[in-house]
């Protein structure tokens, strides 16, 4: 367990550094060819990338909760959910995360934040309405396991930065198209051609790199979080049956974000939850394999 936590911290540093450089490259293209900052383009790109990275790290929970329009869970309105989390925190020795609820009929949940002392668990109203006490406990334990294993920082920061890189790459490609249709660039024919080539490269690579990163960040960690959550509850069947109930739902999430897809307990894209085959670009392993692993725990 502790080895996995140390590994996740090291991977957080390496992956965020890679995304930082990728994003800085996109900003450099924008500042050099569009803003024509010359040699100052490198400094501008590094400063902007640092600000985006720091903002994603420090405000990751606020950004994600705002994206989902989540509300704080209250002891009066969400007593069962609060009682479950308090019991799990006692059993695991973890500080109690803040609890939030999304007004969404879909069955899903996620954890976010920068560390166990600044963490959030958020569940949908659909999950609260459809799952029984022990199933809900299994889901909350899974999300608490992500917090304990330091998965949340990597998933959230990487998701936000990947989303920023995708937005920046689209900006480059659209500016490139406008520049071509406008009859050239202020930097001359060679500058326009270079911008055209670089813009195409980023436009093609950004979504592919983003999807591959999300896939690599999530798949193996779901199995670990399932096992750790089952250890907290001492009831692997509760989470296994909860996953089966979630996979049987065909209700899509209304506020799902593609950039943060890997954060959820199951992918919010209902069409990717096939129980018969695994999509190689899915951020989550097949649910039937997770259920099988849970029922084989000893």
């Amino acid at each position: 367990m502790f080895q996995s936590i140390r590994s996740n911290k090291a991977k957080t540093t390496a992956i965020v550094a890679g995304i930082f450089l990728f994003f800085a490259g996109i900003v450099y293209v924008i500042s050099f060819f569009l803003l024509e900052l010359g040699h100052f383009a490198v400094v501008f790109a590094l400063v902007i990338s640092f600000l985006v990275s720091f903002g994603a790290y420090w405000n990751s929970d606020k950004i994600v909760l705002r994206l989902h329009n989540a509300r704080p869970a209250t002891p009066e309105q969400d007593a069962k959910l609060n009682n479950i989390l308090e019991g799990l925190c006692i059993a695991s020795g973890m500080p109690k995360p803040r609890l939030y609820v999304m007004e969404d009929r879909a069955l899903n949940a996620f954890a976010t934040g920068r560390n166990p002392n600044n963490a959030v668990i958020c569940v949908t109203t659909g999950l609260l309405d459809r799952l029984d006490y022990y199933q809900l406990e299994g889901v909350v334990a899974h999300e608490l396991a992500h917090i304990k294993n330091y998965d949340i920082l990597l998933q959230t920061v990487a998701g936000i930065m990947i989303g920023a890189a995708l937005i920046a790459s689209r900006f480059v490609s659209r500016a490139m198209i406008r520049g071509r249709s406008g009859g050239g660039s202020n930097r001359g024919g060679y500058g326009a051609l270079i911008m055209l080539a670089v813009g195409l490269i980023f436009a093609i690579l950004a979504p592919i790199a983003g999807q591959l990163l999300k896939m690599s960040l999530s798949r193996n960690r779901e199995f670990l979080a399932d096992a750790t959550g089952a250890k907290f509850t001492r009831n692997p069947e509760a989470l296994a049956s909860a996953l089966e109930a979630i996979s049987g739902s065909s209700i899509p999430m209304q506020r799902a974000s593609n950039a943060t897809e890997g954060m959820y307990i199951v992918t919010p894209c209902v069409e990717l939850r096939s129980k018969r085959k695994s999509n190689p670009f899915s951020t989550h392993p097949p649910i039937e394999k997770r259920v099988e692993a849970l029922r084989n725990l000893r």
Side-chain angles (χ1 to χ4, degrees), residues 4 21 32 37 67 75 127 131 136 152 168 173 179 189 191 194 197 230-231 239 244 290:
S4 174
L21 293 175
F32 187 83
L37 296 181
L67 282 173
L127 200 76
L131 300 189
L136 183 59
I152 54 170
S173 59
I194 293 173
K231 181 181 177 181
L239 179 55
E244 288 179 329
R290 294 171 63 184

Side-chain angles (χ1 to χ4, degrees), residues 209-286:
Q211 189 63 30
L212 289 174
L213 276 168
K214 287 187 293 180
M215 179 186 70
S216 65
L217 294 178
S218 294
R219 291 174 72 92
N220 292 331
R221 290 183 177 140
E222 292 304 320
F223 286 112
L224 178 61
D226 288 344
T228 306
K231 181 181 177 181
F232 291 162
T233 63
R234 301 181 183 276
N235 185 6
E237 181 59 31
L239 179 55
S241 63
L243 289 173
E244 288 179 329
I246 293 171
S247 69
S249 173
S250 59
I251 303 173
M253 285 192 67
Q254 299 301 310
R255 289 180 174 270
S257 169
N258 185 55
T260 56
E261 179 185 345
M263 291 171 45
Y264 303 95
I265 188 169
V266 300
T267 176
C269 304
V270 175
E271 63 274 12
L272 295 181
R273 294 185 199 164
S274 173
K275 298 178 71 175
R276 295 182 176 86
K277 61 182 179 179
S278 175
N279 187 319
F281 290 99
S282 174
T283 55
H284 293 69

Side-chain angles (χ1 to χ4, degrees), residues 170-189:
R170 292 190 189 112
F171 178 80
V172 171
S173 59
R174 288 173 184 171
M176 171 194 68
I177 293 170
R178 285 198 299 268
R180 294 289 290 175
S181 62
S185 167
N186 292 334
R187 297 185 64 85

Side-chain angles (χ1 to χ4, degrees), residues 130-209:
R130 293 279 300 278
L131 300 189
D132 64 30
Y133 183 94
Y134 294 106
Q135 290 173 328
L136 183 59
E137 183 183 48
V139 170
V140 175
H142 171 96
E143 299 306 331
L144 192 62
H146 275 309
I147 296 171
K148 183 178 181 66
N149 297 339
Y150 279 81
D151 294 330
I152 54 170
L153 174 62
L154 180 55
Q155 295 281 10
T156 309
V157 172
I160 292 171
M161 291 185 67
I162 288 169
L166 291 173
I167 293 171
S169 67
R170 292 190 189 112
F171 178 80
V172 171
S173 59
R174 288 173 184 171
M176 171 194 68
I177 293 170
R178 285 198 299 268
R180 294 289 290 175
S181 62
S185 167
N186 292 334
R187 297 185 64 85
Y190 287 113
L193 287 174
I194 293 173
M195 182 179 171
L196 175 64
V198 174
L200 283 173
I201 290 171
F202 277 124
I204 293 170
L205 289 182
I208 296 174

